């Protein structure tokens, strides 16, 4: 459910960017596109703060009078409201799919070879040198 909310918030911002671009408000359109990246990257309280800022931007941009700007303002404000209300449920992209690596002895041996260590040497690090 959280991932779906994140995509809805991002798609609302992309739609708003298109509406503002069509209305000739290119700076606001670029702000909306930057907000897409911010929504995906942020989480928790910072995502809610971004949502509150987007509500303010959406309301302010809707007062330009052009019907596309009004539509874009509604979309931006809707995305902001979604983030304020449900931002804690949305995942942060790039974190949810990461899992701890399992210990793999074969991979560890290859990494030792890459470092220049001999993985078959029984010496313990910091131990006494062998008498070879």
């Amino acid at each position: 459910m959280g991932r779906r909310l994140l995509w809805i918030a991002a798609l609302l911002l992309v739609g708003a960017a298109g509406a503002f671009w069509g209305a000739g408000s290119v700076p606001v359109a670029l702000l909306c596109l930057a907000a897409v990246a911010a929504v995906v990257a942020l989480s928790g309280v910072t995502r809610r703060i971004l949502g509150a800022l987007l509500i303010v931007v959406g309301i302010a941009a809707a007062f330009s009078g052009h019907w596309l700007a009004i539509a874009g303002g509604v979309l931006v404000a809707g995305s902001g409201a979604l983030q304020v209300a449900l931002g804690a449920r949305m995942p942060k992209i790039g974190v949810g799919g990461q899992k701890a690596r399992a210990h793999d002895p074969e991979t560890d041996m290859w990494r030792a070879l890459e470092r220049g260590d001999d993985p078959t040497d029984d010496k313990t690090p910091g131990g006494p040198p062998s008498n070879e």
Side-chain angles (χ1 to χ4, degrees), residues 101-121:
R101 287 191 319 208
H103 180 69
D104 183 14
E106 186 174 339
T107 304
D108 291 341
M109 285 184 21
W110 283 109
R111 287 193 181 124
L113 284 172
E114 288 173 353
R115 286 190 309 265
D117 298 337
D118 182 3
T120 61
D121 192 5

Side-chain angles (χ1 to χ4, degrees), residues 83-102:
Q83 293 171 49
V84 169
L86 303 172
R89 294 184 186 177
M90 296 178 196
K92 182 177 177 183
I93 295 295
V95 174
Q98 294 180 356
K99 297 179 182 175
R101 287 191 319 208

Side-chain angles (χ1 to χ4, degrees), residues 35-112:
V36 171
V39 167
V40 171
L42 298 176
S43 63
V45 175
T46 53
R47 184 179 282 157
R48 287 183 170 182
I49 292 170
L50 174 68
L53 290 172
L54 288 175
I55 290 172
V56 172
V57 167
I59 292 171
F63 281 110
S64 76
H66 194 278
W67 69 273
L68 280 174
I70 294 170
V74 169
L75 291 174
V76 170
S79 177
L82 186 66
Q83 293 171 49
V84 169
L86 303 172
R89 294 184 186 177
M90 296 178 196
K92 182 177 177 183
I93 295 295
V95 174
Q98 294 180 356
K99 297 179 182 175
R101 287 191 319 208
H103 180 69
D104 183 14
E106 186 174 339
T107 304
D108 291 341
M109 285 184 21
W110 283 109
R111 287 193 181 124

